[in-house]
Amino acid sequence: MARGRFITFEGGEGTGKSTQVGLLATALRDAGIDVLETREPGGAQGAEEIRRLLVEGDVGRWEAMSEALLHYAARREHMAKTVLPALDAGRWVLCDRFADSTTAYQGFGHGLDRAALDQLHRLVVGEFVPDLTLILDLPVELGLERATARPGSETRYERMDVDFHRRLRDGFLDIAGREPGRCAVIDASGTVDAVHASVRALVGERLGVPLG
Ligand code: TMP
C-alpha cells in the first residue's frame, strides 16, 4: 500500500488554521482519500496531557528550553502513536501545527539557539519531513484580535507580548524562504473561502491531486 501524505498547517495566532484543516479534509474525502485530522501539541493521549501544561496558566511558567522539550515530548508521542501508523496505513494526515511551530515560537519567539533546536529535532523526529507545509500569514494585530475573541482557557501564548508574535511571524516567513519546495505562504487575510481556494490550488499543484 502506498504511504499517505503528511500536510502541515502553520502560522501565528488567529490565522484560521483549524478551519482550513477541516475544509481541506472534507475536500480530500470528497476526492476519495482517507484523511486523518490531528494537531500539535496533542493528537495522542499523552500529548494532549502535555498540551494542557503548555497552553494554560501563567505566561512565564516555563523556562524556554523546558518549553521546547515539552513540545518535542508531545511530538514524539504524537508521531509514534498517531501520525506514523496512519501514514503507514495509507491515510493522509492533516496536522494543525508541527515542528516549524517550535522553530518559530521557541526559536524566533523565545530566542532559543537554532542549532540546539535542530539537534533536538534530529534526535526526536529524525529525517521525517512533511510533504507540504502551508503557512497561513496574517498581520500580528489582526491575528491576535481574532484569537482573543475566541472563548476558552488555552490563552497562554496569546497573552505573550506583541513583539514575541512579530518575531514568530518573521520566523515562519524565514522558514518558508529557506524551504520553498516544502513550504508555501498563504495570505490569510481573505475570506475563509478565498483561503480555502488557495489551499486547494496548492495541494492540487504540489501533490498532484485534482480537487475539482
Ligand atoms: P493552537 O492554539 O494553534 O492549537 O496551538 C497551541 C499553542 O502552542 C499555540 O499558541 C502555539 C504553541 N506552540 C508552540 O509554541 N510550539 C510548538 O511547537 C507548537 C506545536 C505549538
Side-chain angles (χ1 to χ4, degrees):
M1 175 187 302
R3 202 157 197 262
R5 301 298 190 102
F6 184 47
I7 304 176
T8 59
F9 285 73
E10 298 280 8
E13 304 298 312
T15 51
K17 290 176 289 81
S18 315
T19 306
Q20 294 301 329
V21 166
L23 290 171
L24 178 62
T26 303
L28 290 170
R29 286 184 188 120
D30 288 348
I33 294 170
D34 186 8
V35 177
L36 175 75
E37 293 168 66
T38 188
R39 68 171 180 182
E40 289 206 350
Q45 192 190 325
E48 288 289 337
E49 286 169 20
I50 296 171
R51 178 185 176 93
R52 280 201 297 281
L53 300 175
L54 286 161
V55 300
E56 295 177 2
D58 290 347
V59 162
R61 74 185 285 192
W62 299 112
E63 188 272 335
M65 182 52 90
S66 313
E67 190 173 296
L69 290 166
L70 285 169
H71 277 293
Y72 269 103
R75 181 158 303 131
R76 180 77 182 197
E77 281 298 298
H78 182 224
M79 280 178 62
K81 310 254 170 85
T82 305
V83 176
L84 297 177
L87 293 173
D88 286 343
R91 306 183 74 189
W92 285 39
V93 177
L94 307 188
C95 194
D96 187 341
R97 299 194 182 281
F98 189 61
D100 296 316
S101 278
T102 315
T103 307
Y105 279 72
Q106 282 68 49
F108 285 83
H110 288 328
L112 276 183
D113 179 48
R114 229 358 231 286
L117 280 180
D118 287 349
Q119 255 184 311
L120 183 58
H121 182 86
R122 272 195 299 280
L123 183 71
V124 175
V125 177
E127 299 302 315
F128 177 67
V129 254
D131 295 291
L132 176 63
T133 295
L134 301 172
I135 296 175
L136 303 193
D137 182 59
L138 199 60
V140 163
E141 286 77 5
L142 188 54
L144 285 173
E145 207 174 287
R146 286 185 187 176
T148 47
R150 285 190 304 235
S153 57
E154 296 195 336
T155 58
R156 180 167 166 263
Y157 286 97
E158 288 166 20
R159 284 181 273 121
M160 293 182 186
D161 64 67
V162 75
D163 284 340
F164 170 83
H165 291 278
R166 289 206 179 96
R167 288 194 296 277
L168 71 88
R169 182 190 186 195
D170 291 346
F172 280 123
L173 297 176
D174 181 84
I175 293 165
R178 283 168 199 263
E179 292 184 72
R182 170 174 69 87
C183 302
V185 178
I186 295 177
D187 176 1
S189 65
T191 63
V192 167
D193 286 349
V195 176
H196 176 54
S198 305
V199 169
R200 286 170 84 104
L202 277 158
V203 171
E205 182 186 307
R206 301 272 185 114
L207 300 182
V209 50
L211 289 178

